[in-house]
Each structure stands twice: as structure tokens, then as C-alpha cells.
Amino acid sequence: MTKAPITRLELSKMIDHSLLKPTLTREDTLKGLEVAIKEQVASATIKPCYTALAADMLKGTGVMVNPVICFPLGYDTTETKVFETKQVIDQGAEEIDMVLNLGALFSGDYQYVQDDIAAVVEAAQGLTVKVILETGYYEDLDLIVKACQLIETAGGHFVKTSSGFASSPYKNEFGETVGYTNDILRLMRDSVSDKVQVKAAQGVRRLKDALEVIEIGFTRFGVSRTTELMKEYDETYG
Amino acid sequence: MTKAPITRLELSKMIDHSLLKPTLTREDTLKGLEVAIKEQVASATIKPCYTALAADMLKGTGVMVNPVICFPLGYDTTETKVFETKQVIDQGAEEIDMVLNLGALFSGDYQYVQDDIAAVVEAAQGLTVKVILETGYYEDLDLIVKACQLIETAGGHFVKTSSGFASSPYKNEFGETVGYTNDILRLMRDSVSDKVQVKAAQGVRRLKDALEVIEIGFTRFGVSRTTELMKEYDETYG
């Protein structure tokens, strides 16, 4: 067996297990939460309407409850984002993912983008807030740098690549659409200080993908195929 | 010239001019609102964060302000949908579009689906509420009938096919993805009483599409290519 560059638990504790497909039922969500517990991931990323359900099921398991707020277009009003943040925290959320206001960013309304995030960070009362850039949309990569800086200034704890619901021009070696390139990941890592972590999403499907983003300095990634990914780890290093 | 089956104004007053792309800037939105006024559409369908802007610009023009609520996945909490509905009405919304909770529907939690819509209808205080089914997701077409009935029972004023952001297996004769088939449109029209109107979206791109959905009994449709569609009307019947 090859020597593992990372333990099984170190790997699983970087995974946000994604349960976000709109047609996913209550039962699908419960099954997904069981996977999250079995594999000991960092968090289960869930629909806000299932926050109380997830909080109940994940209590005491070491897996965090991670609803997405006003997802995935990012253009709800700031007040609505704040309202939903407070409500899911009341229902047991332990982290949240949100999307920055892309239209405001592309308009150059940087103060709006920053204030929108800062309002959610304040409402989150110290809980980790991950802010999605939608890296597939940027023709001007300098704007990715700007977005990362705005997120850090606003107090966001993570900059995150993608919602998984946006179109993107990028493909992996299997011809599958992904949300980012490794160059973009490096740019994001370099655009924030060490106080801010970075999360990859819409791209980590196989063990190789995970090890690559870790190498670049990413400490969290969204995964739907968690069972398959951990099985691949066991087959490679078990 | 061929005799027109419908006047120019009758056609334009069935159009909800869609300004929903997440990267659309403030300036893009203003230009889109100018198109909405020039072509005298029914409403401009806008991002909730631009409600006040649109209300200011559309005042006295006869074009309604139509934000989308917790769009497009439909799985925000009911309380969040209600909050955003009230806020956009305070800011000048005159109609709203919302998405039903698809996961709840596919779970068979019909009471939840109905209560979620009814809460928004109540918050809308008599304003027209259009409820999106995402017709591309249904393998069991009986569930489309059920969804339409739930929307009518909840007090929704329109059943609407699609958000334009969901995947769909349906294609038109040009190979473009569309949200529905004409059979689905007929099923929707037949599944609600005459008190409820029907709106097509993710499919009306050319004059022929518009005339087809009108023939089936649809009284509103979402259009991005409004200028081109009205130009085609002028060239055909002008």
C-alpha cells in the first residue's frame, strides 16, 4: 500500500457533504445525513427548510449543520439573507454558506457587496460564514481578487468557489463541467490572508481532486459523491 | 400582410420581461426596464434586490414590478419567503413569482407545499402570486396535476412552468432546451379552474412559440428576447 499523505479522518473532516438538489426529498435528506455521520465529514450542507431536521439528526455526532442561505443566485435582499440566517441559527445551524451579490459586484458596487456579506456575518454571531464567488462567471480574473478582498474585509471566514448551480466554461480531464481551474484556486488562496480559509466546490469528485485542492491550500470542499470518494481513499491507502 | 390573430398590445401585455441572470448589473437592469417600457409588456421580472430601482423607473408606465421570491430552488424556509414578499411589496412590487417547495412535493408532504404557498399569498395581500412548478423535473405527470391543485387550493393566481434555471429533458425543434412540452401546458391548463391563469416560461423565444401557448390557453409568458419577439410580430403583421 502507498503511504497516505493524509489520514482518513483528516480527509473526511474537510468534506461538506452536499444535499442540495432541489428535488431531494425528506427521506433522501435523511439518508444523506446518515452518510455524513458514517463518513464523519465536517458538515452536511442542506436546504434551509431541513435545518431543524438535520440539527436533530446530527446532534452529538461531530458533524455540523450547514444550511445554504438565499441560494444559489445571491440576489435576494440583504434583509432577507439576514432574516434567514437568524432563523436557521435558531433552528440549529452551526455554519452557513451564502452567495455574494454577483450583479452588484459586476456593477462595481463594491460597498454593497461588502455590506451585504457583513450583515450576514453579523447575524451569524460568530458562526463560520462561507461566501461563494461563482468562479465560472469571471472573464476578468482581477475581479476574483477583488471579491476575495471584499469578503475578507466583510468578515467572511471562507471564500468558496461555486454553488454547483451556475454555468461554467471549465472542464476537467473527463470532460465534466467544473466550477474552477487550479489557477483560480491559487489566485483565491493568494488573495486572502491566512485568517481566511478557502473552499472548493463543483470540482472535487475523486480522491485526486481532493488531494490537488489540499496541496493548493484549500481546507474544505463540497462533495456529493462522499461515499465513493472515501471508498477510493480506503482502496488506495487502506 | 397576414391578418394578425392578436393585436400588438394584446401580445406585449402577456409578456413578463425577464431580467434574472445573476450577473446582470444595475445598468443592464436599467436598460432592460427601458425595453419593458418601450414594448409595453405586462411586467418586468426582476431580482428582488432591484425592486425599489424598478418601482421608481416603472412608476406610471403601465408596466408592473415583478420580483422573484427566494428564487429559483424553492427550498428556503416559508418564513423567509414571507419576509421577502412583505419587503418587496413595501418597496413597490406589484406581482411576485415564487417556486413551490419541490422536495416537499416529491416527498408527498402536500400539506407543507400548500401551506408554504398560502403563507406567501397571504403576505402578498391580494397581489398576484405566480407559482413555479419546474415542469422539467416530473417523471410522473400526475404530480403536475397534484401541484396545480395544491397551488389553486393555496390561493395562487397563476401556475407557471419553469424558473429558467432548472435542468429539463425537453427540446424544441431547434434543439434548444425548453422547460415544457405542449402536452404539459395542456395538462396544466386542465388541472386548474378558470379562476387560475397559466404562465409559460423557458420556452417562448419566437412569435410561433407565443401563439402556440396562447392557443393552449396561457395568458402570460416569460421572455428574455422581448425586442426580437416584438420585432418579429411587426415584420409578420405590421
Side-chain angles (χ1 to χ4, degrees), chain A residues 20 26 76-77 84 87 107, chain B residues 75-77 84 87 107:
Chain A
L20 296 175
R26 193 174 185 284
D76 290 283
T77 65
E84 189 160 57
Q87 192 189 15
S107 300
Chain B
Y75 55 51
D76 290 283
T77 65
E84 190 160 56
Q87 192 189 16
S107 301

Side-chain angles (χ1 to χ4, degrees), chain A residues 20-26 47-50 68 70-73 75-77 79-80 83-84 87 101-104 106-107 109 112 137 165, chain B residues 20-26 47-50 68 70-73 75-77 79-80 83-84 87 101-104 106-107 109 112 137 165:
Chain A
L20 296 175
K21 281 194 187 147
T23 52
L24 219 64
T25 63
R26 193 174 185 284
K47 305 179 182 189
C49 66
Y50 289 140
V68 293
C70 296
F71 186 83
L73 300 181
Y75 55 51
D76 290 283
T77 65
E79 292 80 2
T80 304
F83 179 90
E84 189 160 57
Q87 192 189 15
N101 190 308
L102 283 157
F106 282 70
S107 300
D109 292 344
Y112 183 100
Y137 283 140
F165 289 86
Chain B
L20 296 176
K21 281 193 187 148
T23 52
L24 219 65
T25 63
R26 193 174 187 283
K47 305 180 182 188
C49 66
Y50 289 140
V68 292
C70 295
F71 185 83
L73 300 181
Y75 55 51
D76 290 283
T77 65
E79 292 79 2
T80 304
F83 179 90
E84 190 160 56
Q87 192 189 16
N101 190 309
L102 282 158
F106 281 69
S107 301
D109 291 345
Y112 183 100
Y137 283 141
F165 288 86

Side-chain angles (χ1 to χ4, degrees), chain A:
Chain A
M1 281 291 166
T2 323
K3 184 170 164 8
I6 183 174
T7 69
R8 192 181 203 283
L9 190 61
E10 282 168 345
L11 176 63
S12 70
K13 283 298 173 194
M14 292 193 187
I15 293 175
D16 284 347
H17 183 54
S18 178
L19 299 169
L20 296 175
K21 281 194 187 147
T23 52
L24 219 64
T25 63
R26 193 174 185 284
E27 196 179 341
D28 297 332
T29 302
L30 288 171
K31 281 184 192 160
L33 293 171
E34 282 170 17
V35 169
I37 296 167
K38 178 171 181 291
E39 301 294 355
Q40 275 299 297
V41 297
S43 86
T45 310
I46 53 161
K47 305 179 182 189
C49 66
Y50 289 140
T51 304
L53 181 78
D56 187 46
M57 181 128 169
L58 296 178
K59 199 172 181 181
T61 65
V63 176
M64 289 184 289
V65 179
N66 179 213
V68 293
I69 295 300
C70 296
F71 186 83
L73 300 181
Y75 55 51
D76 290 283
T77 65
T78 300
E79 292 80 2
T80 304
K81 291 177 174 181
V82 165
F83 179 90
E84 189 160 57
T85 299
K86 289 179 179 169
Q87 192 189 15
V88 295
I89 290 174
D90 285 346
Q91 295 181 350
E94 294 167 291
E95 294 195 328
I96 67 161
D97 284 21
M98 67 174 287
V99 186
L100 59 72
N101 190 308
L102 283 157
L105 182 71
F106 282 70
S107 300
D109 292 344
Y110 300 137
Q111 194 63 48
Y112 183 100
V113 174
Q114 186 181 312
D115 293 346
D116 184 63
I117 298 164
V120 173
V121 169
E122 190 189 343
Q125 303 169 55
L127 295 191
T128 295
V129 176
K130 288 166 255 163
V131 186
I132 297 166
L133 271 70
E134 293 296 21
T135 40
Y137 283 140
Y138 297 65
E139 284 174 34
D140 172 10
L141 296 188
D142 287 345
L143 201 55
I144 290 183
V145 177
K146 184 70 189 170
C148 289
Q149 291 168 343
L150 290 168
I151 293 166
E152 176 155 16
T153 306
H157 306 91
F158 271 86
V159 293
K160 174 180 170 185
T161 58
S162 317
S163 70
F165 289 86
S167 59
S168 169
Y170 306 120
K171 306 267 183 194
N172 66 13
E173 67 265 49
F174 302 101
E176 299 161 353
T177 295
V178 292
Y180 55 81
T181 63
N182 285 352
D183 282 346
I184 287 177
L185 297 186
R186 285 185 204 99
L187 184 65
M188 287 173 67
R189 181 57 278 178
D190 290 345
S191 300
V192 288
S193 80
D194 289 348
K195 287 180 210 151
V196 177
Q197 297 182 68
V198 277
K199 174 177 171 184
Q202 199 180 9
V204 176
R205 286 163 202 164
R206 299 167 186 85
L207 182 59
K208 175 190 155 293
D209 306 322
L211 297 178
E212 267 180 32
V213 306
I214 293 169
E215 178 71 28
I216 294 169
F218 278 57
T219 48
R220 200 75 76 80
F221 26 90
V223 181
S224 301
R225 300 173 70 260
T226 300
T227 303
E228 292 81 352
L229 181 64
M230 296 312 296
K231 192 173 167 218
E232 196 186 342
Y233 180 93
D234 293 337
E235 286 168 357
T236 309
Y237 304 119

Side-chain angles (χ1 to χ4, degrees), chain B residues 18-98:
Chain B
S18 179
L19 298 169
L20 296 176
K21 281 193 187 148
T23 52
L24 219 65
T25 63
R26 193 174 187 283
E27 195 178 339
D28 297 331
T29 302
L30 288 171
K31 281 184 193 161
L33 293 171
E34 282 170 16
V35 169
I37 296 167
K38 178 171 180 288
E39 301 295 355
Q40 275 299 297
V41 297
S43 86
T45 310
I46 52 159
K47 305 180 182 188
C49 66
Y50 289 140
T51 304
L53 181 78
D56 186 47
M57 181 129 169
L58 295 178
K59 199 172 180 181
T61 65
V63 176
M64 288 183 289
V65 179
N66 179 214
V68 292
I69 296 301
C70 295
F71 185 83
L73 300 181
Y75 55 51
D76 290 283
T77 65
T78 301
E79 292 79 2
T80 304
K81 290 178 175 181
V82 164
F83 179 90
E84 190 160 56
T85 300
K86 288 179 179 168
Q87 192 189 16
V88 295
I89 290 174
D90 284 347
Q91 295 181 351
E94 294 167 289
E95 294 195 328
I96 67 161
D97 283 22
M98 67 175 286

